[in-house]
Amino acid sequence: MVHQPRSTRATQSGGITILVVLSMLVLMTVIAVGMSRNSLREVFIVGSSQQAAVVRQTADTGLEYSIVWMKADKVPTDTGALKFKEVQGLLVHNTESAGLSTPIAPVGATDMQMPAPTGQSRSFTLKMMRMGKVEPDMVSGGVVDTRSWNDLWVIQSSGRTVLGSTTFQHDKEVWVTTPAVVD
């Protein structure tokens, strides 16, 4: 038997195959790394969106509590509610305070704390501003007693969620009219 040398063409096609396979492997690795980065980024975005929604709901809760406290005939016995009604009374009787924002910061007000999972705290703080009286649209003849005009209020709620060392905060406000308090 005579030995014939291998053709160079067969040797070259084996080398090209290895290069193509290695190139495809590198390309697939780059694509996989890129996709994993996008997945991690989406996880962070979803977490931030969830915390943002929670802190907005906490601020809304502060506004809802303040509207209930403001219109309550009987003063609730909770610490935050008592302080709220106290500040409201002071603002009604002090006409010089119209347009000035007054913080409502009762010490240890559990009614201004929200239930939260372990490792989190959720709370809201309130500010109240009396803007003055709202003039009725139409007044039918006679003497008008401006003391009977409705009061216009601005309530500002600041919701806060603390998660570890990160604090999320959202501020909201609402304008409310209430029947006038006539002395």
Side-chain angles (χ1 to χ4, degrees):
M1 226 186 215
V2 178
H3 182 8
Q4 293 185 349
R6 237 179 180 182
S7 81
T8 56
R9 181 170 277 229
T11 308
Q12 287 179 351
S13 78
I16 290 174
T17 303
I18 290 175
L19 286 175
V20 168
V21 168
L22 285 175
S23 299
M24 294 296 288
L25 184 62
V26 167
L27 180 64
M28 290 175 62
T29 302
V30 168
I31 290 171
V33 168
M35 289 176 68
S36 68
R37 280 189 171 173
N38 283 342
S39 297
L40 288 174
R41 188 175 303 127
E42 287 177 16
V43 167
F44 289 130
I45 289 171
V46 167
S48 293
S49 296
Q50 179 185 9
Q51 290 305 321
V54 166
V55 78
R56 278 193 308 272
Q57 291 169 353
T58 303
D60 282 341
T61 300
L63 292 178
E64 290 169 7
Y65 271 46
S66 65
I67 290 170
V68 169
W69 292 340
M70 180 175 276
K71 298 198 177 203
D73 294 334
K74 184 178 177 185
V75 178
T77 58
D78 297 328
T79 310
L82 289 173
K83 183 68 174 177
F84 188 92
K85 292 301 273 187
E86 176 188 332
V87 170
Q88 183 184 14
L90 291 172
L91 292 175
V92 164
H93 297 296
N94 183 0
T95 56
E96 294 177 7
S97 64
L100 299 176
S101 182
T102 305
I104 299 165
V107 178
T110 56
D111 52 337
M112 295 173 81
Q113 303 289 321
M114 306 301 298
T118 305
Q120 282 189 25
S121 71
R122 296 179 187 158
S123 62
F124 61 87
T125 57
L126 298 172
K127 289 183 183 177
M128 176 187 275
M129 186 179 346
R130 182 171 174 263
M131 299 304 291
K133 299 284 188 177
V134 178
E135 183 176 349
D137 289 338
M138 303 188 88
V139 178
S140 58
V143 178
V144 177
D145 183 5
T146 58
R147 293 178 304 159
S148 66
W149 293 356
N150 291 342
D151 290 312
L152 179 62
W153 301 89
V154 177
I155 309 297
Q156 299 167 328
S157 176
S158 180
R160 184 172 297 112
T161 299
V162 179
L163 176 61
S165 63
T166 306
T167 301
F168 297 88
Q169 182 171 331
H170 187 77
D171 300 327
K172 285 192 166 187
E173 75 177 27
V174 66
W175 291 61
V176 180
T177 58
T178 59
V181 177
V182 181
D183 299 327

